[in-house]
């Protein structure tokens, strides 16, 4: 399929070359353009076109596709420039914008765009191509290089992949219709075309199903836990939300206007607890609550014929709302304990001659796949669906790295690349202390950008099975729109470029991104600036000074800083190497390019005390079983502290502490809800013998089994954030200090927030 698109592009190129307009002569402007995704072919040409209110958007009489896109472009120009261009039918006129469908251009999404002194001409075979041409023109219009008019270009463009996607989980946390529409607006402006909507999971069923009202009466509410309490207004107030069918249809229509297909996901047979809580007969018959635990809950749909009737009824309503070819049926992380213990499931397996539960899942998925096939739809599922025998028409979404995709494509299935952790947006994108909560594996913008959607392990003759890639946002740690924006923007730009453009070029991308960040801000989006932001590291230096090291993730731009508390500007001192400051000093820094600050300035107050302080972010965890950055249930000075913790091993190491004598140690701790379903991983939780009911913090020297320097009882902290005091015996030299919380995590979790030596 990929090849078809490239072929279409090649044909488009030829067709276009045949009818290239006569070029103006004159100098070509060389100021770089900031288009994202980078078009397949872009030539700079002489001339500039300066748009004013007298310009018109001209469409060929009767060209309804062009007329429709003209109205969309008209509204974007109004927002960007404050002028409303007239839309007229007729022959293209000099001094304006023309939009026209043209059979000479091949490929539904392909387009050509020409700008010169006389105006702008966009042509495409189909409305979708015209829409993308208009998006590119809007980007040119909002480009810093277009201050004196949009410079001349000849663009011939078409996407590399047909699946350019983003997944949003509305189960773990729920978003309003207008937030989703805002996201769809932005997807369209990145030429992304697939919105994968994760609508059901253990923690909430979010789509109204008329035939089974309890799915939302019961299944759309769960107990508010941790940060949810602030959203609901109290622990006794449940966390609820679902989309009515009308709202879902509104979202489908809104997306379609923007050439985006909504692919709904209805999870089965696992991640089914909200559904089973609504109708226990669908599971093992036991009454359950909608889950408030993140992770792998074990409630499964059973395999009774009656359950398939319900699933098919649900899919009938889903298909009536969502016209997409693909229907996503989940299939991931289905723990088989219930099936192993169910007489009915075991009897059914026996009657079918199926020998294990994984193959039984294959049978389950195949039965649903047949149903979808009969209705002219295609099944897509997470890569676990490959563990059983699934029909060749099933499409596989590879999330457990790329191995699922490799296996599937080589076996002849179409695949969508969505590997965790690289393309998972709940992974944090920097180690900056102001990163919001999430999974701290450190998937930077560059890691995401560098991911090549067609792994070399897929046989060349099978590479066409890769439909494309998508970024995936599971929302356990994104309870609100602000957090969602931080996770998605600007990473959406990287996935857009890797799925659209034929070539990747990181250095060019990072230089084009600042203009895109400005476009986000103009659209009311608050992006993460982690890729440009300055990290300020400090260490003790000679003569009671501190050594300061400044860096940015991308290295793009020039770092500039101040030490007098003032905001850094494009004229501030440029950073070239670590420098020493007298104590106390506040360092403020930002990266600059083209005279503009690339990020929000970051600052750090440095004094003798701060050099003997570490936050949990600056400590190492003692392993990496399940490391998370979690937020406090309660705010401190209006901000909720964030703690880095391995929830399976509550133990932190402060590496290389220079000690010379006896120290007091203040340890700030907090107690968080422990709402995790770890299934078989529970056996791996590290538990240390506690000396008291509340447990204690033990401080060990050099290794976590090394000499015990101090025992600090947790009892005085009771149930919340508190600073506890201990004493370290006299020690000299450089040592690692290991801080372990004794006892076992659950039902609450002790975390260390800060350590201060005195
Ligand atoms: C997944 O992350 N369980 C698809």
């Amino acid at each position: 399929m990929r090849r078809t698109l490239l072929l279409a592009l090649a044909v488009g190129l030829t067709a276009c070359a045949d009818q290239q307009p006569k070029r103006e002569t004159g100098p070509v402007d060389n100021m770089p353009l900031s288009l994202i995704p980078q078009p397949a072919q872009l030539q700079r040409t002489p001339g500039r076109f300066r748009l004013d209110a007298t310009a018109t958007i001209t469409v060929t009489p009767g060209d309804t596709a062009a007329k429709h896109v003209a109205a969309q472009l008209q509204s974007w120009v109004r927002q960007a420039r404050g002028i409303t261009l007239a839309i007229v039918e007729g022959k293209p006129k000099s001094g304006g914008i023309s939009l026209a469908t043209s059979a000479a251009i091949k490929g539904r999404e392909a387009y050509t765009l020409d700008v010169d002194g006389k105006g702008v001409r966009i042509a495409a075979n189909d409305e979708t191509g015209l829409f993308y041409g208009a998006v590119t023109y809007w980007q040119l219009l909002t480009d810093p290089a277009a201050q004196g008019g949009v410079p001349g270009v000849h663009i011939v463009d078409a996407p590399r992949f047909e699946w350019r996607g983003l997944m949003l989980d509305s189960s773990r946390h729920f978003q309003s219709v207008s937030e989703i529409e805002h996201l769809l607006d932005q997807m369209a402006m990145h030429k992304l075309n697939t919105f994968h909507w994760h609508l059901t999971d253990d923690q909430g069923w979010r789509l109204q199903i008329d035939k089974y009202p309890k799915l939302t009466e019961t299944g759309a509410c769960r107990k508010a836990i941790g940060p949810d309490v602030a959203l609901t207004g109290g622990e006794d107030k449940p966390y609820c939300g679902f989309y009515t069918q009308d709202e879902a249809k509104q979202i489908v229509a809104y997306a379609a206007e923007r050439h985006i297909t909504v692919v709904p996901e209805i999870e089965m047979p696992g991640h089914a607890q909200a559904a089973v809580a609504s109708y226990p007969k669908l599971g093992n018959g036991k009454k359950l609550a909608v889950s408030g635990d993140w992770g792998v809950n074990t409630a499964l749909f059973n395999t009774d014929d009656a359950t398939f009737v319900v699933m098919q009824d649900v899919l009938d309503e889903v298909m009536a709302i969502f016209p997409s070819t693909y229907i996503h049926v989940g299939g991931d992380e289905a723990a088989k304990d219930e099936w192993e213990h169910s007489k009915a499931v075991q009897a059914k397996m026996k009657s079918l001659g199926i020998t294990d539960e994984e193959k039984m899942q294959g049978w389950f998925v195949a039965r649903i796949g047949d149903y979808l096939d009969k209705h002219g739809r295609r099944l897509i599922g997470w890569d676990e669906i490959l563990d059983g025998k699934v029909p060749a028409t099933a499409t596989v979404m590879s999330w457990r790295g790329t191995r699922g995709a490799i296996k599937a494509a080589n076996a002849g299935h179409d695949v969508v690349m969505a590997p965790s952790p690289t393309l998972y947006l709940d992974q944090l994108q920097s180690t900056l202390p102001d990163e919001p909560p999430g999974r701290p594996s450190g998937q930077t913008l560059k890691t995401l950008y560098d991911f090549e959607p067609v792994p070399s392990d897929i046989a060349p003759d099978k590479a066409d099975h890769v439909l494309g890639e998508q970024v995936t946002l599971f929302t356990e740690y994104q309870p609100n729109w602000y957090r969602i924006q931080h996770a998605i923007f600007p990473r959406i730009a990287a996935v857009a470029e890797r799925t659209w453009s034929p070539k990747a070029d990181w250095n060019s991308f990072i230089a084009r991104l600042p203009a895109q960040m400005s476009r986000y801000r103009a659209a009311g989006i608050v992006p993460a600036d982690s890729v440009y932001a300055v990290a300020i590291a400090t260490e003790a230096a000679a003569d009671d000074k501190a050594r300061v090291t400044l860096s940015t993730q991308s290295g793009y731009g020039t770092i500039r800083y101040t030490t007098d508390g003032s905001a850094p500007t494009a004229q501030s001192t440029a950073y070239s190497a670590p420098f020493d400051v007298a104590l106390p000093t506040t360092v403020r820094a930002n990266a600059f390019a083209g005279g503009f600050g690339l990020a929000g300035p970051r600052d750090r107050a440095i004094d003798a005390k701060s050099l003997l302080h570490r936050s949990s972010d600056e400590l190492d965890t003692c392993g990496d079983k399940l490391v998370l950055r979690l937020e406090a249930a309660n705010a401190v000075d209006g901000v909720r502290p964030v703690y880095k913790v391995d929830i399976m091993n509550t133990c932190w190491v402060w590496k290389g502490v220079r000690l010379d004598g006896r120290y007091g140690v203040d340890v700030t701790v907090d107690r968080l809800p422990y709402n995790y379903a770890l299934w078989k991983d529970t056996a791996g939780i590290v538990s240390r013998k506690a000396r008291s009911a509340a447990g204690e913090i033990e401080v060990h020297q050099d290794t976590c089994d090394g000499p015990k320097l101090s025992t600090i009882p947790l009892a005085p902290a009771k149930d919340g954030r508190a600073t506890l005091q201990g004493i370290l015996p006299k020690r000299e030299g450089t040592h690692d200090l290991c801080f372990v919380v004794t006892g076992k995590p659950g039902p609450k979790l002790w975390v260390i927030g800060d350590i201060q030596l005195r």
Side-chain angles (χ1 to χ4, degrees):
M1 261 150 262
R2 211 162 44 86
R3 201 172 288 150
T4 328
L5 284 171
L6 289 175
L7 193 65
L9 174 61
V11 174
L13 274 168
T14 329
C16 188
D18 287 348
Q19 45 157 282
Q20 273 196 19
K22 252 188 140 166
R23 300 236 169 278
E24 287 177 48
T25 52
V28 171
D29 197 317
N30 276 327
M31 189 162 167
L33 297 174
S34 295
L35 296 176
I36 289 179
Q38 184 76 313
Q41 304 269 330
L42 183 153
Q43 251 175 280
R44 303 295 290 267
T45 58
R48 254 175 196 270
F49 177 64
R50 197 185 180 98
L51 192 68
D52 63 33
T54 65
T56 56
I57 307 177
T58 310
V59 300
T60 319
D63 191 339
T64 49
K67 211 166 166 185
H68 194 199
V69 175
Q72 291 172 308
L73 179 58
Q74 182 191 50
S75 89
W76 302 340
V77 171
R78 192 185 303 123
Q79 281 164 33
R81 288 292 162 91
I83 51 177
T84 302
L85 305 179
I87 299 172
V88 295
E89 292 191 34
K91 277 203 157 39
K93 277 201 311 216
S94 190
I97 302 166
S98 82
L99 292 169
T101 45
S102 159
I105 296 170
K106 303 292 179 224
R108 201 177 56 79
E109 300 186 303
Y111 69 94
T112 63
L113 167 62
D114 287 276
V115 179
D116 57 25
K118 296 196 202 73
V120 179
R121 292 172 300 282
I122 301 171
N125 184 289
D126 184 271
E127 184 175 327
T128 307
L130 284 180
F131 180 84
Y132 291 144
V135 168
T136 302
Y137 173 62
W138 170 81
Q139 284 200 351
L140 288 168
L141 201 62
T142 53
D143 190 315
Q147 297 286 320
V150 171
V153 285
H154 173 58
I155 290 174
V156 180
D157 204 7
R160 179 179 174 200
F161 290 107
E162 66 181 75
W163 188 296
R164 305 184 300 278
L166 182 146
M167 191 212 86
L168 178 67
D169 168 11
S170 294
S171 174
R172 274 49 175 269
H173 284 103
F174 180 78
Q175 305 82 28
S176 69
V177 171
S178 68
E179 286 163 353
I180 291 180
E181 289 179 347
H182 203 167
L183 182 57
L184 291 167
D185 285 337
Q186 286 301 318
M187 285 180 66
M189 291 320 213
H190 289 84
K191 305 188 176 96
L192 294 182
N193 67 352
T194 307
F195 176 58
H196 167 186
W197 198 7
H198 190 82
L199 280 163
T200 72
D201 215 303
D202 301 309
Q203 299 81 2
W205 182 286
R206 305 278 175 225
L207 180 67
Q208 174 192 1
I209 300 293
D210 288 337
K211 202 159 184 183
Y212 301 100
K214 283 193 197 156
L215 285 172
T216 46
E217 283 165 15
T218 302
C221 286
R222 67 159 183 265
K223 191 170 157 25
I225 293 181
D228 293 347
V229 174
L231 300 173
T232 65
E235 272 182 41
D236 56 336
K237 298 197 172 58
Y239 182 92
C240 300
F242 70 92
Y243 304 95
T244 65
Q245 296 206 354
D246 283 346
E247 286 171 332
K249 283 179 191 156
Q250 179 185 331
I251 284 171
V252 168
Y254 195 92
E257 269 281 302
R258 289 153 185 79
H259 304 271
I260 296 168
T261 302
V262 183
V263 175
E265 181 179 353
I266 305 295
E267 277 265 23
M268 60 187 87
H271 287 287
Q273 188 158 329
V276 172
S278 311
Y279 294 98
K281 274 192 180 154
L282 299 175
N284 65 359
K286 291 205 185 108
K287 217 167 152 28
L288 285 172
V290 177
S291 179
D293 290 341
W294 312 141
V296 179
N297 292 274
T298 53
L300 283 194
F301 289 120
N302 62 39
T303 59
D304 295 349
D305 288 342
T307 297
F308 281 95
V309 170
V310 175
M311 298 320 298
Q312 289 168 5
D313 288 343
V314 167
L315 289 173
D316 285 347
E317 293 194 30
V318 166
M319 287 188 282
I321 300 167
F322 298 95
S324 60
T325 303
Y326 291 99
I327 304 290
H328 202 303
V329 298
D332 57 318
E333 299 179 317
K336 300 296 182 316
D337 308 28
E338 286 191 0
W339 285 5
E340 283 164 16
H341 296 114
S342 157
K343 278 193 188 133
V345 174
Q346 292 300 320
K348 185 142 201 164
M349 283 170 58
K350 198 158 176 214
S351 73
L352 292 165
I354 291 175
T355 47
D356 72 58
E357 288 74 20
E358 297 310 327
K359 292 203 180 78
M360 191 60 183
Q361 172 163 342
W363 172 84
F364 188 113
V365 172
R367 185 160 166 177
I368 295 290
D370 283 347
Y371 190 75
L372 293 174
D373 271 351
K374 281 199 193 91
H375 289 77
R377 307 300 182 97
R378 287 184 66 183
L379 177 147
I380 183 166
W382 299 108
D383 55 73
E384 285 93 332
I385 64 171
L386 281 174
D387 296 344
K389 198 165 174 304
V390 288
T393 52
T395 298
V396 172
M397 186 169 272
S398 188
W399 76 278
R400 294 177 298 177
T402 54
R403 65 181 194 275
I406 294 164
K407 183 173 159 197
N410 287 338
H413 293 278
D414 284 346
V415 300
V416 174
M417 307 302 293
S420 157
T422 318
L423 301 191
Y424 267 43
L425 302 182
D426 57 344
Q427 301 287 343
L428 299 180
Q429 46 203 306
S430 83
T431 51
L432 291 168
D434 49 38
E435 272 292 337
R439 296 171 177 266
S441 77
Q443 302 300 319
T444 64
L445 187 63
K446 186 167 190 308
T447 343
L448 199 161
Y449 187 89
D450 284 346
F451 176 73
E452 164 50 46
V454 184
S456 56
D457 292 341
I458 294 183
D461 66 326
K462 298 288 195 297
D464 284 354
H465 283 300
V466 178
L467 303 183
E469 75 173 40
Q470 74 173 33
V471 283
T472 293
L473 181 57
F474 283 110
T475 53
E476 285 91 336
Y477 308 106
Q478 280 75 29
N480 58 36
W481 175 233
Y482 169 76
R483 292 267 182 80
I484 287 172
Q485 291 171 75
H486 184 95
I488 292 179
F489 298 91
R491 294 195 277 193
I492 190 173
V495 67
E497 183 141 311
R498 290 315 308 268
T499 51
W500 182 282
S501 310
K503 275 201 320 248
D505 182 342
W506 167 256
N507 289 333
S508 153
F509 176 77
I510 197 70
R512 281 179 278 126
L513 190 63
Q516 191 76 350
M517 298 283 270
S518 299
R519 292 184 189 110
Y520 296 149
R521 293 185 183 110
I525 296 282
V526 185
D529 62 6
S530 329
V531 72
Y532 300 118
V534 177
I536 306 173
T538 60
E539 59 180 322
D543 306 327
D544 288 337
K545 290 186 168 171
R547 177 142 308 165
V548 179
T549 304
L550 305 180
S551 62
T552 66
Q553 200 180 80
S554 58
Y556 183 71
T558 303
I559 297 176
R560 295 180 182 276
Y561 67 94
T562 65
T563 53
D564 61 1
S566 65
T569 69
Q571 281 71 48
S572 301
T573 310
Y575 174 79
S576 56
F579 57 94
D580 290 353
V581 292
L583 303 177
T585 295
T586 294
V587 173
R588 302 189 74 190
N590 197 359
F592 290 82
F596 291 96
L598 292 167
R602 301 301 204 269
D603 50 50
R604 184 155 187 166
I606 309 163
D607 58 18
K609 200 173 163 198
S610 75
L611 295 173
L612 291 173
H613 171 270
R614 291 293 180 274
S615 70
S616 64
D617 272 326
E618 298 165 308
L619 303 170
D620 290 343
T621 50
C622 301
D624 59 355
K625 282 172 180 271
L626 215 175
V627 182
L628 298 170
R629 284 178 87 250
L630 300 173
E631 65 192 302
N634 298 309
V636 177
D637 298 333
V639 178
R640 240 184 259 222
V642 179
Y643 309 114
K644 183 174 80 178
V645 53
D646 183 341
I647 63 158
M648 296 176 65
N649 186 7
T650 46
C651 173
W652 294 256
V653 178
W654 181 348
K655 286 246 171 81
V657 191
R658 267 185 244 152
L659 299 172
D660 61 353
R662 194 173 129 95
Y663 289 83
V665 56
D666 292 349
V667 183
T668 302
V669 296
D670 206 343
R671 200 143 155 78
L672 309 183
Y674 191 79
N675 58 318
Y676 303 95
L678 299 179
W679 191 41
K680 291 198 170 146
D681 289 345
T682 307
I685 291 175
V686 178
S687 164
R688 296 178 184 81
K689 197 168 159 42
R691 322 232 155 247
S692 60
E696 47 279 315
I697 293 168
E698 291 179 355
V699 188
H700 294 264
Q701 181 186 316
D702 298 326
T703 69
C704 298
D705 299 321
K708 190 171 9 159
L709 301 182
S710 187
T711 300
I712 307 170
L714 284 162
K718 294 197 184 73
D719 224 18
R721 190 173 153 98
T723 298
L724 307 171
Q725 296 189 335
I727 300 284
L728 303 185
K730 189 163 180 280
R731 286 290 184 279
E732 305 293 337
T734 301
H735 296 278
D736 290 351
L737 295 180
C738 176
F739 295 76
V740 301
V741 174
T742 62
K744 191 173 177 173
K748 291 231 170 175
L749 175 74
W750 281 111
V751 292
I752 289 182
D754 300 86
I755 300 174
Q756 176 74 60
L757 293 184
R758 286 181 282 110

